[in-house]
Amino acid sequence: MDKITQGGCLCGSVRYELRGALRPVVACHCTQCRKSSGHYVAATQVASKDAAIEGGTLRWFRSSPEAERGFCSACGSNLFWRRMDNPFISVMAGSIDGDTGLRMESQLYPESAGDYYDLPDVPAIPQSELK
Ligand SMILES: [Zn+2]
Ligand SMILES: [Zn+2]
């Protein structure tokens, strides 16, 4: 039986279940992640086929030609990121219910980080090294 991870938005309208092992958390300091989250993004990832999402308030915002971001239109929670050409979905780690059992292991775009916080003490990796 695969492990099931549950999560959802602040108001509870959007709920999801992720099946199987989750990727370690990656932080992203890019301008889009900072604008959409209000800070920086920390996300895990699974194959889209292993993510069951429900909730009529889920909306997708096309944040770039390559990718879109999923959020709850009722409470504004920032939940998902996915590339149009990629069978994986990133899930914001803070939206997972309770303990995640995950660790942040790497970060993207540290050169775009805000000037008001210290970078996490994890290696920076080029986005091209992520699947
Ligand atoms: Zn909500
Ligand atoms: Zn980003």
Side-chain angles (χ1 to χ4, degrees):
M1 184 74 184
D2 285 338
K3 178 174 184 257
I4 298 289
T5 300
Q6 295 185 317
C9 67
L10 178 60
C11 77
S13 294
V14 179
R15 295 290 305 165
Y16 61 77
E17 286 190 350
L18 312 175
R19 189 174 67 238
L22 304 178
R23 188 197 67 185
V25 172
V26 176
C28 185
H29 306 276
C30 82
T31 303
Q32 290 181 5
C33 284
R34 293 178 52 215
K35 290 282 186 186
S36 67
S37 70
H39 189 30
Y40 64 85
V41 154
T44 183
Q45 194 177 62
V46 292
S48 298
K49 66 177 174 49
D50 292 327
I53 303 168
E54 56 184 37
T57 59
L58 179 65
R59 298 287 182 278
W60 290 93
F61 172 68
R62 190 75 176 257
S63 52
S64 72
E66 298 84 26
E68 59 186 2
R69 291 166 189 269
F71 64 98
C72 174
S73 61
C75 68
S77 293
N78 184 30
L79 297 168
F80 308 114
W81 179 91
R82 65 184 178 194
R83 287 182 63 99
M84 318 308 291
D85 62 353
N86 183 313
F88 295 92
I89 183 168
S90 291
V91 180
M92 305 313 168
S95 69
I96 293 171
D97 296 346
D99 289 340
T100 66
L102 300 171
R103 297 297 298 169
M104 184 187 294
E105 293 194 353
S106 56
Q107 58 189 327
L108 299 170
Y109 303 109
E111 68 280 5
S112 295
D115 61 2
Y116 64 91
Y117 61 88
D118 294 327
L119 291 172
D121 186 19
V122 293
I125 55 171
Q127 176 133 40
S128 57
E129 287 186 15
L130 285 179
K131 63 189 176 188

